[in-house]
Amino acid sequence: MKQKGIVYLVGAGPGDPGLITLKGLACIKEAEVLVYDRLVNKKLLHFAPDHCEKIYVGKKPHHHTFTQDEINQLLAEKALAGKIVVRLKGGDPFVFGRGGEEAEVLAAKGVPFEIVPGITSAVAVPAYAGIPVTYRDYTSSFTVITGHEDPTKKVSALDWEKIAAGGGTLIFLMGVGKLPEIVKKLLVNGRKATTPVAIISRGTRPEQQVVVSTLAEIVEKTATAKVTSPAVIVVGEVVRLREKLAWVEKKPLFGKRILVTRARAQASELSRRIEKLGGEAWEFPLIEIKEPLDFQPLDQALAQIDRYSWLIFTSVNGVDAFFTRLRRHKKDARALHGLKICAVGPKTKERLTEMCLDVDYMPNEYRAEAIAAGLQGKIQPGQWVLLPQGDLARPVLANALQKMGAKVDKVTVYRTVCTGEKAGLLREMLAAGKIHYLTFTSSSAVRNFVETIGPEKIKALLSGVKLISIGPVTSATARSLGLPVDLEAKEYTIDGIMKVLIADVEKHS
Ligand code: SAH
């Protein structure tokens, strides 16, 4: 039987991707067709399955890519063809989103649909500016109003006399272009000129900009500050609370968009920490970790694991790949009985500890050169050393150990491959000057980044972006490829990157 299609009208929230509902996210994860608007944070698209067809129907003011009719038809058509369609809309789908009209068409055509409400910008954007829309001492009501009436309407549907009267909070959406008219109508109809007003542009995003004034002065102040849409206008006494309650702007990485170029599996830790501190992290998994093309060398080493005296891990990926293969051979940690274990740094050590394996040696400086120096005297000539590494690992460690007289088996346990995925969006964001920092955590990430972006364009695209490298080896690779390194971690870890990043943002704020 043919699968029955459905349309989920999903609210994406106001901009911060964290402000989507669990149900909304679950819909995106199973979407076969994703139809999205301009105000939807593109980060949310990454949650869609790889095979999902993504269709941008964004409307720019005065410039319709798709007419509303065409969107309605598109949704119905795809669902009738049996697809799971997610119609992703900014904020809440039923607050000025024309979600009502879309649902109406689906209902009329007998297309199954569900509504997944979202967090509307009308409430969330003021909240991110430290403005509660109601507050006991000031007001117990708020009204959400369009600032941009249908231009074809001859007579205003808005009763300005009623809107202006009373002390309720007024929240205008789509009102930036019409601000002078809105202010005039409120004043003429009796709101006091001293009433506080806030305009919050691009709320909940790194570009959030807030202008606070009074009805008397907001037009001039907004013009000076060059406020642009999308913006929410809040009129009422509650605006005064911002002075006490402003919070996002106080976070150490507020306003910063940071590109994290790590393999997908590892990107999350750095991203999580950036976002906790108020920055917006974008993960571009330019490198992906894959199985080696040939398992034979690793399998052989595992078969004669008893011969080795030392097992040296130079990355978390190496640990993971090694043990995955060990399990495949139906062996467990007891197979390593009697081996001494070395980890390049604290993360690798931590992963080993999770597997109930203590580390016998970890250098103070977390790189291959330091391992060799530190193991001098600990490895006896003639002893066998197993070195499970990535295919791009530098030969320095193996060479140095051999010089010490050790017999080294360097086996490839994983491959680092360039995905190229998302490169278009990455270029677009760099070109638009939307990225403030770029982090590199390995030489292969640098090489893949350059390859993905295209060496000829890279200089121009990176002007204005600060590059942070995890350590001297990665920095050297970047410089050799013509990328200027602005900051280098003192401790060659994610912690080290976070430290230099925070210090730099503080220095320039
Ligand atoms: N359905 C949406 C509103 C769509 S109308 C919702 O519930 O939020 C588009 C208007 O929403 C914009 O003109 C602006 O007034 C407001 N808006 C949406 N996102 C915004 C943001 N991040 N910052 C400020 N205003 C925003």
Side-chain angles (χ1 to χ4, degrees):
M1 203 180 79
K2 207 172 108 190
Q3 180 197 350
K4 196 128 195 263
I6 185 166
V7 176
Y8 294 100
L9 287 173
V10 178
D16 177 342
L19 296 180
I20 188 166
T21 64
L22 286 176
K23 196 165 180 182
L25 188 60
C27 289
I28 296 177
K29 285 184 176 169
E30 64 163 3
E32 290 169 319
V33 180
L34 188 65
V35 181
Y36 65 101
D37 281 340
R38 187 172 62 105
L39 289 179
V40 167
N41 192 320
K42 306 257 183 322
K43 262 179 101 168
L44 291 173
L45 309 182
H46 296 172
F47 290 103
D50 288 342
H51 57 79
C52 172
E53 182 188 4
K54 299 179 190 117
I55 307 174
Y56 175 66
V57 294
K59 298 177 216 159
K60 293 189 177 136
H62 317 296
H63 182 273
H64 288 244
T65 318
F66 271 67
T67 64
Q68 188 60 47
D69 251 357
E70 284 165 345
I71 296 173
N72 300 343
Q73 293 311 323
L74 178 71
L75 298 177
E77 245 166 55
K78 294 283 182 189
L80 288 172
K83 301 283 186 204
I84 299 173
V85 182
V86 169
R87 170 70 174 116
L88 196 57
K89 302 170 79 75
D92 179 90
F94 278 4
V95 177
F96 299 131
R98 303 188 81 165
E101 287 158 70
E102 290 172 11
E104 211 169 20
V105 171
L106 298 173
K109 287 183 184 280
V111 177
F113 67 88
E114 281 184 30
I115 314 297
V116 182
I119 296 184
T120 178
S121 63
V123 175
V125 167
Y128 267 51
I131 302 172
V133 294
T134 69
Y135 184 79
R136 215 153 58 140
D137 294 344
Y138 292 145
T139 174
S140 48
S141 75
F142 65 92
T143 310
V144 181
I145 308 158
T146 171
H148 182 83
E149 275 190 290
D150 185 341
T152 58
K153 273 190 199 158
K154 292 233 164 56
V155 186
S156 173
L158 299 174
D159 183 341
W160 285 97
E161 213 173 306
K162 279 212 183 106
I163 288 170
T169 305
L170 304 179
I171 298 159
F172 292 91
L173 301 193
M174 304 174 282
V176 182
K178 294 265 167 65
L179 183 67
E181 287 95 319
I182 292 170
V183 168
K184 200 166 143 199
K185 285 199 165 125
L186 292 175
L187 289 173
V188 168
N189 288 287
R191 273 268 165 142
K192 281 203 273 183
T194 52
T195 308
V197 184
I199 298 200
I200 308 132
S201 162
R202 287 161 221 278
T204 81
R205 291 184 177 256
E207 292 84 4
Q208 173 166 312
Q209 182 193 9
V210 185
V211 175
V212 174
S213 185
T214 57
L215 273 181
E217 289 170 3
I218 190 74
V219 174
E220 198 189 319
K221 241 182 141 177
T222 306
T224 317
K226 295 197 173 64
V227 175
T228 54
S229 91
V232 169
I233 304 167
V234 188
V235 180
E237 296 302 317
V238 288
V239 169
R240 296 188 194 283
L241 290 159
R242 172 171 163 80
E243 211 175 297
K244 274 192 265 175
L245 302 184
W247 60 278
V248 274
E249 294 91 344
K250 296 194 177 134
K251 301 196 98 184
L253 297 181
F254 165 74
K256 302 297 174 220
R257 198 174 272 117
I258 298 144
L259 200 65
V260 175
T261 56
R262 302 198 69 175
R264 194 195 293 273
Q266 299 170 319
S268 46
E269 192 204 337
L270 183 53
S271 299
R272 234 189 349 262
R273 295 185 56 178
I274 289 169
E275 302 211 318
K276 232 176 152 180
L277 296 180
E280 189 175 284
W282 276 76
E283 288 178 9
F284 282 94
L286 297 166
I287 53 175
E288 213 158 357
I289 303 304
K290 295 243 157 95
E291 289 189 343
L293 293 173
D294 180 10
F295 272 116
Q296 208 264 333
L298 173 58
D299 288 346
Q300 198 179 330
L302 289 174
Q304 49 186 22
I305 192 83
D306 291 342
R307 82 191 306 190
Y308 301 102
S309 302
W310 279 88
L311 177 55
I312 302 179
F313 290 105
T314 55
S315 68
V316 174
N317 289 323
V319 174
D320 289 345
F322 180 85
F323 284 97
T324 304
R325 195 65 188 170
L326 191 75
R327 296 302 286 160
R328 192 74 48 85
H329 287 290
K330 304 220 174 342
K331 290 187 176 171
D332 64 20
R334 283 172 295 182
L336 307 182
H337 167 75
L339 262 85
K340 289 217 175 340
I341 297 178
C342 165
V344 68
K347 287 291 161 212
T348 307
K349 178 180 171 183
E350 197 179 301
R351 184 57 57 95
L352 288 160
T353 312
E354 281 165 16
M355 296 176 172
C356 294
L357 289 168
D358 276 339
V359 160
D360 298 282
Y361 178 70
M362 184 183 84
N364 294 327
E365 205 189 336
Y366 313 138
R367 53 186 188 143
E369 284 82 344
I371 296 182
L375 286 178
Q376 188 83 43
K378 290 193 171 71
I379 295 181
Q380 306 311 318
Q383 281 187 330
W384 283 89
V385 176
L386 180 58
L387 200 51
Q389 292 188 306
D391 60 335
L392 301 180
R394 295 171 303 136
V396 277
L397 178 55
N399 291 347
L401 293 168
Q402 266 156 1
K403 262 202 202 126
M404 284 158 49
K407 292 183 172 149
V408 182
D409 266 348
K410 179 176 179 295
V411 295
T412 296
V413 290
Y414 66 89
R415 263 181 317 136
T416 311
V417 294
C418 179
T419 62
E421 179 199 1
K422 297 172 191 164
L425 183 55
L426 171 59
R427 265 189 230 109
E428 236 171 71
M429 290 180 73
L430 286 168
K434 287 189 173 168
I435 304 287
H436 305 105
Y437 290 92
L438 177 50
T439 62
F440 286 121
T441 50
S442 68
S443 290
S444 51
V446 179
R447 277 192 288 269
N448 285 317
F449 178 80
V450 174
E451 198 179 304
T452 310
I453 295 296
E456 59 304 331
K457 298 199 190 93
I458 207 133
K459 268 252 163 72
L461 284 174
L462 290 186
S463 78
V465 181
K466 282 195 178 169
L467 260 66
I468 308 181
S469 137
I470 197 167
V473 177
T474 304
S475 300
T477 306
R479 291 198 184 100
S480 74
L481 293 171
L483 302 188
V485 175
D486 299 281
L487 301 159
E488 187 181 278
K490 292 188 184 64
E491 204 185 298
Y492 314 149
T493 59
I494 298 295
D495 254 340
I497 289 191
M498 287 304 289
K499 278 187 192 143
V500 288
L501 170 63
I502 294 166
D504 193 66
V505 173
E506 258 172 24
K507 202 166 103 192
H508 296 96
S509 62

